[in-house]
Structure formats: structure tokens, C-alpha cells
Amino acid sequence: MGTISRLSEKTRAPAHRIESEEEALSIARELAAEFAGSANERDTDRILPFDELDALAQSGLLAITVPPEYDGIDVSNAVLAEVTAILSEADSSIGQIPQNHFYILEALRTDGTEEQKAFFFGRALAGDRFGNALSERGTKTVGDYETRLSSDGPGFRLNGRKYYSTGVLFAEWIVIFALDPNDKLTMAFVPRGAEGLQIIDDWDGFGQRTTGSGTTVLQNVYVAADAVVRHHRGFERPTTIGSVGQIIHAGIDLGIARAAFAETLDFVRNHARPWMDSGAERAADDPLTIARIGQLAIRLEAATATLERAGKKVDVAQINGTEESVIEATLAVAAAKVLTTEIALEASNTLFELAGTASTKIGLNLDRHWRNARTHTLHDPVRWKHHVVGNYHLNGIKPPKNGAL
């Protein structure tokens, strides 16, 4: 592909080619079992998951949304969300890191040229990872950008500073979101190690501690013309870019909720004491505790079912592409994001309510589930999803077109 094809490549074995949705789910479960054992240690000591991300890339899971016409299997969005939830239950930082990777692949599918699709989908199949440099600090809103793409001969130059650059520490390609000379939003694919590109590991959030969501500095970085995707076009017509990005976020929250719920069951069964007025011999026999566990289980089931249903609607919208089908997908994903946000916060908080004071010991690090839930659910506030859904049903106002819906 033009200039891009001459870029140097890492020497590594090609990634595994996944052949079915069942295989994708099976591989996700196998990796999750491996990742879960050291997740506590990674969070406590902030050990970045470089080896784990290498294993994830080599497994082939990062290519499961590549369309069949580019040699992929294009799994359903329900499966994509469930794969995300499985990985996030084991380690929610690892579950979040590929979110932008899949968002970028969806934006590429929607608005990339045939040459760009052939090349970058091919790189995804080979095991390359795409990290995002999207959000900035100091702008009026999260949807405003100061990073600029300016013309330079046959290509462009990038200048700016990004924060919340999730996954860039682990990526072969840094995808920069910048305004072109006409103030139109673009995605520029820059290879790791490009001159003028600086990645700073300065993410210091109290949750999702190992996502590598630090700062990216761009100082006159050159990018070839054929490595720039006109991202703004994806929001000038009905598309599923936002829905795909959001359903993955919902999967992350669902995984956090499952992890917190599992910790609650274990602690109540094996460590917690019954309340003195309960008359129970074990905390697990306390009728109020049992009922609370039942509430959580039911809400987890509801969130899971809503997420699966939303995935099916996104599938329809990707194939059909009408405004009506895209709106249906948007509203369904918004509902799933609300429910998964609520259950992630509720489950991680109820863990301590039912497990008791002993569960707050620092050495147990059970608070990581609440910290992860609280941090990740700040992404795209659900209060605005309530507003969008209500405004559509009450006033017929169509949802705005952006990556947060």
C-alpha cells in the first residue's frame, strides 16, 4: 500500500487465525484463566501487561471483527461484547486496552479506502495492535480537539498533545485523531517509533491502573496521505461506529461486575461472619444476605441479556445501515451501557456490604473492583444516555451522531 507498505515490521510469528465464534469464546476463556492469576499483583504494583497483550495479539482475538472480504470472520457484536466481558472479568485493564483497537477497525470498515482496508485489516490479522490518541485535556469538551493535521507536500504533519491514550504503550500503530485544515476530524495511522512521536507512561488513575492510558506528544510527526482516514464522514450519516465502541465499554463493565460478584460469593461462603441477630450459623445462611445475592444475580442476568440483544441490533444495523436500524442499535446499546454501569458499581460496592470489615484489608486488594468500576464507568456518562433515550421516545429527537453513542 503506497508509502505504508514500506514501513518496517516486527519480526514475530503470524497471529493465530480464529475460524469461528465458538473458537473465539474458547480462546478468550483460556486466556482469561491465565490472566486472572496475576491480575491482583499487576494492579497492586502497577505491572504493565506487556506479555499478556502479546499473548492476546498472537491468539488472533484482536482480528475477530475483520470482515470476511478481507479474510476475517467478523464475529457478531454480541460475541465481541462477551469476549470483552470474559477478559475483563479476569483483568479489566486488559479488557479495556483493545477497546480502541476495535473502534478503529470499525471506523476503518466504515470510512477507509479499499487500499487502507486491505492493508490495515491485514496488519490486524497478522497480530498488529492499534492504540488510540484521542482525548485531550484543556479543551472546552471532550469532543473538542486542538491537535492539527497540516499539509506537507504529498503527506501531512501532526502537532498536538493527547491524554487518555489507552493502549498506546502496547501498540504497533498509534492512531491520532486530529483536525485537518478544514476542521474535519481525521484518523492518522502512525507507526510506533515515528520521528517526533513521544509516548509518556504517566497515567495515574486510581482504577484501571495498567491500561497504559498516558500522554502522547506529537511534534511535527510526518504521516503519509494514504494513512489518513476521513473519520468525520462516519458521523455525517448513520453508522455503527459509536455503537460498536460503546458495546465494548459495556462488556468491560459487565466483566468487572462478574469479577466483583464472584469475589462476594467466595468471601461470604468462606470468610464472612453472620450478623448476630440473624440466627444463622454461617453468613451464607443469613436470609438477608441470600436475598441480596439474589438481587445481584438477577441484575447481572438482565445486564447480560440486554447486552446480547443490543449486539444483535448492531449486527442488523451494520448489514442494513438504514437510519432506523442505526437508531435502534444506538438506543439498545445505550440501555446496555446504563445497566452494565449500574451493576458494575452495585456489585463492587455490595462486595464490602456483605463481606464485612475483614474484606477491607489492604492486602486483599478487593477494592480494585470498585476502583476499576468507578474509573471506567466515568467514560461517557450514563446520565446523558438516559437523556438521549428519553428525548427520542418523548420528543422524537434522534440521537446525536458521535463516538459516545
Side-chain angles (χ1 to χ4, degrees), residues 131-133 157-162 165 168-169 171-176 188-200 215-222:
N132 97 100
R157 294 285 177 177
L158 282 162
N159 285 281
R161 188 181 187 92
K162 297 287 189 176
S165 306
V168 294
L169 292 177
E172 283 79 23
W173 297 89
I174 316 303
V175 181
I176 316 296
F189 288 72
V190 176
R192 186 181 188 85
E195 185 177 356
L197 174 67
Q198 183 184 13
I199 299 170
I200 305 171
T215 299
T216 302
V217 181
L218 306 153
Q219 296 179 310
N220 216 31
V221 175
Y222 183 79

Side-chain angles (χ1 to χ4, degrees), residues 35-99:
F35 298 162
S38 49
N40 187 355
E41 181 185 4
R42 281 193 297 276
D43 175 84
T44 300
D45 298 328
R46 197 174 177 273
I47 301 170
L48 296 175
F50 285 102
D51 291 342
E52 289 77 10
L53 264 294
D54 285 344
L56 181 61
Q58 290 303 110
S59 75
L61 282 178
L62 298 185
I64 57 175
T65 62
V66 172
E69 56 267 34
Y70 300 97
D71 297 328
I73 62 169
D74 193 19
V75 300
S76 69
N77 286 281
V79 168
L80 176 61
E82 180 61 21
V83 165
T84 301
I86 290 168
L87 295 174
S88 297
E89 182 178 357
D91 186 327
S92 56
S93 286
I94 291 176
Q96 183 181 348
I97 289 167
Q99 188 274 336

Side-chain angles (χ1 to χ4, degrees), residues 278-296:
S278 70
E281 291 297 320
R282 305 182 309 141
D285 296 326
D286 182 330
L288 298 183
T289 296
I290 292 172
R292 191 73 178 97
I293 290 293
Q295 284 182 329
L296 287 179

Side-chain angles (χ1 to χ4, degrees), residues 93-296:
S93 286
I94 291 176
Q96 183 181 348
I97 289 167
Q99 188 274 336
N100 290 287
H101 171 95
F102 288 116
Y103 176 95
I104 290 161
L105 293 184
E106 176 66 6
L108 179 69
R109 184 188 69 81
T110 301
D111 290 305
T113 65
E114 286 304 311
E115 190 180 29
Q116 288 171 331
K117 293 177 187 179
F119 180 80
F120 287 115
F121 284 143
R123 294 317 311 157
L125 287 166
D128 282 7
R129 287 159 278 182
F130 301 93
N132 97 100
L134 171 63
S135 296
E136 302 177 13
R137 291 194 293 187
T139 56
K140 181 179 179 180
T141 74
V142 296
D144 295 316
Y145 305 95
E146 293 181 351
T147 301
R148 287 285 172 175
L149 185 76
S150 56
S151 298
D152 183 11
F156 299 93
R157 294 285 177 177
L158 282 162
N159 285 281
R161 188 181 187 92
K162 297 287 189 176
Y163 196 58
Y164 307 118
S165 306
T166 302
V168 294
L169 292 177
F170 315 98
E172 283 79 23
W173 297 89
I174 316 303
V175 181
I176 316 296
F177 292 75
L179 298 178
D180 69 10
N182 297 315
D183 288 336
K184 298 293 187 179
L185 186 61
T186 64
M187 293 193 319
F189 288 72
V190 176
R192 186 181 188 85
E195 185 177 356
L197 174 67
Q198 183 184 13
I199 299 170
I200 305 171
D201 179 20
D202 59 353
W203 169 242
D204 63 351
F206 64 65
Q208 297 297 91
R209 298 188 66 218
T210 60
T211 56
S213 302
T215 299
T216 302
V217 181
L218 306 153
Q219 296 179 310
N220 216 31
V221 175
Y222 183 79
V223 56
D226 58 1
V228 176
V229 174
R230 301 297 170 179
H231 190 43
H232 61 92
R233 293 174 180 167
F235 304 112
E236 294 171 349
R237 68 189 195 283
T239 69
T240 53
I241 295 174
S243 293
V244 170
Q246 288 296 300
I247 204 168
I248 300 169
H249 279 306
I252 296 164
D253 293 334
L254 181 62
I256 295 172
R258 288 175 179 173
F261 185 66
E263 296 272 24
T264 304
L265 295 180
D266 177 70
F267 209 95
V268 169
R269 286 172 182 153
N270 300 306
H271 304 290
R273 296 183 294 176
W275 182 241
M276 58 187 177
D277 296 326
S278 70
E281 291 297 320
R282 305 182 309 141
D285 296 326
D286 182 330
L288 298 183
T289 296
I290 292 172
R292 191 73 178 97
I293 290 293
Q295 284 182 329
L296 287 179

